[in-house]
């Protein structure tokens, strides 16, 4: 029964016990004929807060089912921590996931890379920020700002002129840094430029 199976998977994840986590990982690897089971396991793994699940979640980024790939990327986002070197193992799989055919997977991968804050992801995120899907562009811009807003200031300023208002908003909010962080020189120059795009300046001012 699917309901019973899913409840059992959730209960195992809630235990946060090494043996239970290992059982979930083994079950995922053997559930080749059950997309629902794979999705349920991946959706539960992040709740274990166990770095041992990283390889399985990275593998799940290549799962045949789009919703499982998306869940894997979102789960990795919860686990990414720039202060924990082991989480850097997800860098390459997440960068590759930025090319996933499903926009929801690409967005989740961008968000996870923003949490990882590894500068090596920037070239991949810059490419993602120029794709056709608005939500994917917005998420990539947010991730770029989290990694290095100064290096990405030029692209973020271009985002203020994006035809989609959600992308404009994401770019503007990404350019408004924490009080303790310096405002990128490119932003100051843009605001001081009398020929700057007024709607874009307005979006930045409202952020």
């Amino acid at each position: 029964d699917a309901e019973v199976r899913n409840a059992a998977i959730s209960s195992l994840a809630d235990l946060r016990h090494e043996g239970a986590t290992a059982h979930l990982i083994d079950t995922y690897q053997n559930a080749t004929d059950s997309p629902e089971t794979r999705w349920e396991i991946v959706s539960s793994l992040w709740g274990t807060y166990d770095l041992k699940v990283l390889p399985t979640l990275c593998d799940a980024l290549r799962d045949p089912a789009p919703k499982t790939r998306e869940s894997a990327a979102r789960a990795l986002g919860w686990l990414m921590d720039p202060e924990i070197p082991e989480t850097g193992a997800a860098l390459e799989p997440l960068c590759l996931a930025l090319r996933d055919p499903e926009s929801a997977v690409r967005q989740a991968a961008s968000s996870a890379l923003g949490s990882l804050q590894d500068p090596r992801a920037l070239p991949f995120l810059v490419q993602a920020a120029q794709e056709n899907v608005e939500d994917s562009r917005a998420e990539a811009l947010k991730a770029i700002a989290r990694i290095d807003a100064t290096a990405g200031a030029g692209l973020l300023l271009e985002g203020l002129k994006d035809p989609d208002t959600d992308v404009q908003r994401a770019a503007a909010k990404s350019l408004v840094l924490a009080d303790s962080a310096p405002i990128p020189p490119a932003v100051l120059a843009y605001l001081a430029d009398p020929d700057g795009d007024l709607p874009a300046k307005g979006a930045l001012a409202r952020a």
Side-chain angles (χ1 to χ4, degrees):
D1 181 88
E3 187 173 344
V4 173
R5 179 196 62 214
N6 292 343
I9 290 171
S10 181
S11 297
L12 282 171
D14 289 344
L15 288 175
R16 297 180 187 173
H17 182 274
E18 184 175 349
T21 301
H23 180 72
L24 286 173
I25 291 172
D26 288 342
T27 303
Y28 172 80
Q29 293 171 343
N30 294 321
T32 55
D33 59 343
S34 179
E36 275 304 313
T37 298
R38 294 198 308 272
W39 173 77
E40 188 67 38
I41 291 171
V42 168
S43 299
S44 300
L45 281 178
W46 74 267
T48 65
Y49 298 101
D50 188 339
L51 292 180
K52 291 186 180 68
V53 306
L54 276 174
T56 300
L57 291 176
C58 289
D59 287 345
L61 290 173
R62 302 191 302 270
D63 193 275
K67 71 174 185 177
T68 299
R69 299 198 302 273
E70 180 186 355
S71 290
R74 296 199 181 284
L76 285 167
W78 280 97
L79 293 173
M80 293 300 94
D81 187 334
E83 301 298 321
I84 302 177
E86 292 87 344
T87 63
L91 173 65
E92 183 177 351
L94 284 169
C95 287
L96 291 174
L98 292 176
R99 302 171 185 168
D100 193 278
E102 296 291 330
S103 63
V105 179
R106 300 195 298 273
Q107 292 166 45
S110 287
S111 179
L113 287 167
S115 297
L116 182 58
Q117 296 181 30
D118 191 320
R120 290 176 294 176
L122 284 173
F124 300 91
L125 288 165
V126 167
Q127 186 174 0
Q130 300 174 63
E131 70 158 90
N132 292 330
V133 179
E134 292 84 356
D135 289 344
S136 296
R137 293 202 301 275
E139 205 60 57
L141 289 175
K142 293 176 192 175
I144 289 168
R146 292 189 68 184
I147 295 171
D148 191 339
T150 299
L155 186 60
L156 292 169
L157 286 169
E158 284 300 312
L160 295 176
K161 307 173 189 177
D162 194 277
D164 183 79
T165 55
D166 288 338
V167 178
Q168 294 173 17
R169 191 176 300 112
K173 288 184 179 298
S174 296
L175 284 164
V176 179
L177 304 178
D179 293 338
S180 59
I183 297 176
V187 177
L188 294 175
Y190 186 81
L191 290 173
D193 183 0
D195 297 323
D197 185 274
L198 289 179
K201 286 186 178 182
L204 184 58
R206 290 192 298 272

